[in-house]
Amino acid sequence: MSSPRTKALPTSTPAGESPRRRLRAVLALARVEARELLLQIPVFVVLCVYVAYVGWELWTGGGEDGAYPVLQDVDRATQPESLFLGVAVLVCVNRAVLRSRRRGTDGHFDVLVMEPWRRTVAHLLSVVPFALATALVVAAQFTGAALKPGAVGTGSFSELAVAPLAVLLLGVLGVLIARLVPSAFGAPLFVVGGYIAVVLLLSSSEDTPWLRWLTPFVDEFQADPLPSDLLGRPAAWHALYLVGLIVLVSCAAVLCGGRRTLPAALGLARAARNPVAWPAVGPARLVKAVALGAAVLTLAGAVGQSRGDSPALLAARKQASVAPEKDHTCVPHGRSTYCAFPEWTGRTEDWAAVVRRVQSLAGGAAGGTKLTVRQRVDARYGLSASATLEPSSTHGQVTVGTRWGGNRVPEFSVGVASVLVAGNEEAAAAMCDGRVVTVMWLALATTSDPMASLRDVRIDDSVSGSAIVLAPTHPLEMTAAQTTVVRELLQRPRYGVTAKVKAHWTELTSPKTSTARAAELLDVPVPKGSEKEDKCEE
């Protein structure tokens, strides 16, 4: 005798259940899944390392240049670290969605009140706390930089939004992959394939720059900060692109929420044939309508971020590079004038302090000469290009860059001393005689640690032998003999050397003065071979 046919239990929501209770059930499941995600070792470890790294950066000040952050660079610097958290969330949420399949409990869900698509929504919501955590870390990172006394520039909310949006995008991708490919290998293969795709996109970005903006974030190497209005990064369009992509992927995951295999998931347009697994007709249509709108947003963002640099931006970059005085705001400090881009005017007092220290050691008219310190950039070739600033031929003009702090301070001191001795930067670039000794002593004698500053401004980080000395424009060349004399001077009491420099200023700043003669005037033993080294190349 055959048993009577068992009637299948419905998985649709009971008619008497209110929408508020259904929403509370989804949110409750989302909280449980979020807690489970946090307890997964990859997510927990990466999140702890991420928070600890940012906390350490805030505690230590971000290195020698960290006291003078440029906010339009800081906002972009918040993006790369979040990628590791996003990948960890992607892999672990994918594993969480496949938990029932892995443990063989899929069949039990068919008797539950909550439909599969609502469980998918709960998994999607479970990654939101990690995006919010990323947003808090980004806010702390940027706020810590903005509150520093030496901070300049203007941050972008769109750039700051990229990190949490990237984490959210990777998280919802993990859910979609689990619904499309119900296998434990789906997420790892996607991560590897995604990495390869990003590498290919970045490698082809020279010919088609817009391709790199299809990735979650674009980290452009920049030698020197640029004014915020010269960046030209389509940050707002990129944020819109990410938002549209997140909603589109989420809708696709919901529509695939009741399907068990990839071939079935590909039949999205025929959802009404499976009313048990899919949302009701009203919700299904709503999800599809939202997906269509998200696709429009994604396309709009992709098109907007692929337009490239406008003619107006290129013209502004050229003007800032070849005629910066048209964009500058000039501020007087003492006898000298300091001209900077508007976002950097608060830093002119730091420059003036260096000029005062160097001029206090100079003799003759140089001690009271009026200098024009002018901030310069070369933005003609975009953010990723690195160009050396050409020395200026204008008498009394000293170049200063957009970076400050650390080694930039003694490098600027070298630039100031060079102009005081040679008259202008172009003439200073050609120095190959005893004047180099005078320049280097003027630049470094008033620093807190002259020998360390000497090491910092030399490319090889040495205090002996010949070397190239960094300056804001063209570098200087020091011979081994000049290095020996300068090292001896820096180790002596400053007041005694200052008196000799001022007494013999005219001869020490003459192009006819050799290194040996400069050593004699300053009462330093003459290094062997100094006369031969002073011969300039014709």
Side-chain angles (χ1 to χ4, degrees), residues 104-168:
T105 59
D106 269 344
H108 297 284
F109 284 156
D110 292 337
V111 300
L112 297 180
V113 173
M114 183 177 292
E115 304 94 333
W117 70 269
R118 288 169 60 194
R119 292 197 296 272
T120 301
V121 172
H123 282 294
L124 292 170
L125 293 177
S126 70
V127 304
V128 173
F130 298 94
L132 295 177
T134 305
L136 291 177
V137 174
V138 168
Q141 194 172 358
F142 183 80
T143 303
L147 293 178
K148 293 181 179 180
V152 297
T154 305
S156 168
F157 176 79
S158 298
E159 294 282 11
L160 294 173
V162 168
L165 288 176
V167 172
L168 188 57

Side-chain angles (χ1 to χ4, degrees), residues 352-484:
V354 174
V355 171
R356 287 193 295 267
R357 292 200 305 266
V358 176
Q359 278 196 299
S360 67
L361 303 179
T369 188
K370 296 180 180 180
L371 299 177
T372 300
V373 176
R374 188 172 298 281
Q375 190 175 47
R376 295 171 59 197
V377 296
D378 194 341
R380 291 172 292 180
Y381 310 106
L383 275 68
S384 301
S386 178
T388 302
L389 297 174
E390 293 296 325
S392 172
S393 60
T394 303
H395 183 79
Q397 177 173 305
V398 182
T399 295
V400 66
T402 51
R403 291 190 185 276
W404 192 248
N407 294 354
R408 307 293 87 76
V409 178
E411 289 173 15
F412 176 64
S413 299
V414 172
V416 174
S418 299
V419 172
L420 291 178
V421 171
N424 61 70
E425 293 174 340
E426 192 174 63
M431 284 192 302
C432 57
D433 44 61
R435 291 177 296 172
V436 174
V437 172
T438 307
V439 167
M440 295 304 298
W441 183 81
L442 288 176
L444 306 178
T446 57
T447 60
S448 58
D449 190 342
M451 293 302 295
S453 298
L454 176 63
R455 183 180 295 107
D456 291 340
V457 296
R458 290 160 62 97
I459 289 183
D460 60 355
D461 294 330
S462 69
V463 292
S464 62
S466 59
I468 302 297
V469 177
L470 296 174
T473 57
H474 197 283
L476 302 180
E477 295 184 14
M478 286 186 71
T479 65
Q482 291 164 353
T483 301
T484 302

Side-chain angles (χ1 to χ4, degrees), residues 77-247:
T78 61
Q79 299 172 9
E81 294 87 356
S82 64
L83 178 63
F84 300 100
L85 178 60
V87 171
V89 171
L90 182 153
V91 173
C92 291
V93 75
N94 179 271
R95 182 176 175 82
V97 176
L98 296 176
R99 185 192 306 118
S100 59
R101 181 181 182 86
R102 188 170 60 254
R103 296 180 179 178
T105 59
D106 269 344
H108 297 284
F109 284 156
D110 292 337
V111 300
L112 297 180
V113 173
M114 183 177 292
E115 304 94 333
W117 70 269
R118 288 169 60 194
R119 292 197 296 272
T120 301
V121 172
H123 282 294
L124 292 170
L125 293 177
S126 70
V127 304
V128 173
F130 298 94
L132 295 177
T134 305
L136 291 177
V137 174
V138 168
Q141 194 172 358
F142 183 80
T143 303
L147 293 178
K148 293 181 179 180
V152 297
T154 305
S156 168
F157 176 79
S158 298
E159 294 282 11
L160 294 173
V162 168
L165 288 176
V167 172
L168 188 57
L169 174 60
L170 291 173
V172 298
L173 277 172
V175 178
L176 177 61
I177 294 168
R179 291 310 187 193
L180 292 177
V181 185
S183 170
F185 297 100
L189 289 177
F190 177 83
V191 172
V192 175
Y195 175 77
I196 295 174
V198 169
V199 171
L200 293 177
L201 287 175
L202 295 179
S203 63
S204 61
S205 61
E206 294 183 1
D207 300 326
T208 52
W210 62 271
L211 286 176
R212 60 183 176 173
W213 288 98
L214 299 179
T215 60
F217 63 87
V218 179
D219 184 23
E220 295 181 277
F221 169 78
Q222 189 174 339
D224 293 304
L226 297 180
S228 56
D229 56 350
L230 301 182
L231 295 180
R233 283 173 58 90
W237 286 111
H238 188 61
L240 179 65
Y241 163 76
L242 291 178
V243 170
L245 201 56
I246 290 169
V247 177

Side-chain angles (χ1 to χ4, degrees), residues 280-293:
V281 176
R285 289 179 177 175
L286 177 61
V287 172
K288 291 179 182 179
V290 173
L292 180 60

